[in-house]
Amino acid sequence: MVGKLGNKTLRELVHAHLKEEILANRITPGSVLQEVPLAASLGVSRGPIREALGSLAAEGLVTITPRRGAVVTSFTKEDFLEAYQVREVLEQLAVRIAVPRMSDAELDRVDAQIEEMIRCSAVGDDTGFFEANAAFHEAFVVASANSKLIEIYRRLVGQMQPYRRPSAQLRGSLDRSVAEHRAIMRAARDRDVDRAVALVGDHIRVPQRRLEGISEDDFATEGFLRSDGPMPRSESDVELSGMLRGDLAGRS
């Protein structure tokens, strides 16, 4: 991994590090990202920090305001509900375009993500389950080969990712989630486009319906946003953090 990172600019490394911290919920929604403390903690100048924050703002992960600076995007209940509504439409469109054109081999690779979800659920690997789930959904979006759809979808999902634990809480049973994914796959393999589209919509509407029954105050509580605590650190993230704080400090 070090060799691959060596080809990246300092701005790209800072951006990757901060993005991972945000998506893993170690920097929580509503946090203010100040250039000076960040530069000091990472051992770099303010320039790469400023550029990285600009890139994060372009992705919708932070909001830059004149007085507060960069603030990690924070969803209200209504924001979250609207995001689910848009995601539903995007994924239904992706499935409608993708299913008729996907090969059996492509569908096999998507089906493998369901098996990975089952494996991760059995061993209590929540992070792995989330990743396999995300890969399942993105596979149809990518298979649509619609570049604008892919761009908009990834931006939206990136904004929602820090909330993936409460999303799972809203969805409920992981067994039910697996069953819903299997039903989508059966329809896709049968080339029943209308049924696949309907099933994807039903699947994404499950957390929407439960979200509608939660008060704004309950949604905003710390316990709901971080119901299972922060995501565990990956080995690659530890390595990147070390490089930013040490070996790359001289590149600022």
Side-chain angles (χ1 to χ4, degrees):
M1 182 172 178
V2 175
K4 292 181 180 179
L5 289 176
N7 294 325
K8 292 186 177 182
T9 66
L10 189 57
R11 181 199 65 78
E12 289 172 331
L13 288 169
V14 172
H15 170 267
H17 172 70
L18 293 177
K19 183 173 182 177
E20 174 63 21
E21 293 291 289
I22 292 169
L23 295 184
N25 217 9
R26 290 187 287 270
I27 301 178
T28 56
S31 298
V32 179
L33 301 178
Q34 298 178 324
E35 291 180 12
V36 173
L38 279 174
S41 67
L42 295 178
V44 300
S45 66
R46 292 176 62 183
I49 300 291
R50 187 179 304 111
E51 293 172 356
L53 292 177
S55 296
L56 292 171
E59 296 173 40
L61 292 175
V62 305
T63 301
I64 298 178
T65 58
R67 293 186 178 180
R68 296 190 70 193
V71 181
V72 178
T73 300
S74 180
F75 277 12
T76 64
K77 172 191 167 181
E78 190 62 28
D79 290 333
F80 207 40
L81 187 56
E82 288 177 357
Y84 265 120
Q85 290 168 345
V86 174
R87 180 182 167 187
E88 177 187 339
V89 173
L90 292 176
E91 289 204 33
Q92 286 186 310
L93 175 59
V95 167
R96 186 168 297 281
I97 297 172
V99 167
R101 64 194 300 172
M102 293 178 77
S103 67
D104 289 342
E106 287 178 301
L107 290 173
D108 287 343
R109 287 192 289 272
V110 180
D111 214 356
Q113 298 302 331
I114 299 178
E115 299 307 316
E116 181 65 7
M117 280 185 255
I118 294 171
R119 186 194 69 78
C120 291
S121 178
V123 299
D125 181 2
D126 292 344
T127 300
F129 184 94
F130 293 143
E131 290 174 351
N133 179 75
F136 176 96
H137 288 274
E138 180 163 295
F140 288 103
V141 177
V142 172
S144 75
N146 184 310
S147 59
K148 288 299 180 185
L149 174 57
I150 295 169
E151 177 186 348
I152 295 168
Y153 178 81
R154 285 178 173 170
R155 177 184 173 98
L156 178 68
V157 170
Q159 292 173 356
M160 296 176 74
Q161 190 167 337
Y163 295 86
R164 59 186 180 177
R165 285 195 186 279
S167 292
Q169 184 182 3
L170 287 168
R171 175 159 295 285
S173 168
L174 294 183
D175 289 340
R176 173 178 175 172
S177 178
V178 168
E180 290 170 0
H181 285 91
R182 285 201 183 281
I184 294 168
M185 278 305 304
R186 283 195 296 270
R189 286 192 180 280
D190 292 342
R191 308 298 174 175
D192 189 339
V193 176
D194 289 340
R195 179 162 176 74
V197 168
L199 288 169
V200 166
D202 290 344
H203 175 69
I204 298 175
R205 277 193 295 274
V206 170
Q208 289 183 53
R209 288 192 291 267
R210 292 183 176 175
L211 185 60
E212 289 169 350
I214 296 173
S215 71
E216 188 72 61
D217 287 343
D218 286 342
F219 178 84
T221 61
E222 182 74 6
F224 180 75
L225 292 180
R226 303 184 65 190
S227 56
D228 292 319
M231 302 291 286
R233 260 189 188 280
S234 66
E235 188 174 310
S236 61
D237 183 56
V238 172
E239 181 180 2
L240 175 58
S241 300
M243 291 181 71
L244 282 166
R245 290 180 174 85
D247 296 341
L248 294 178
R251 292 169 55 182
S252 61

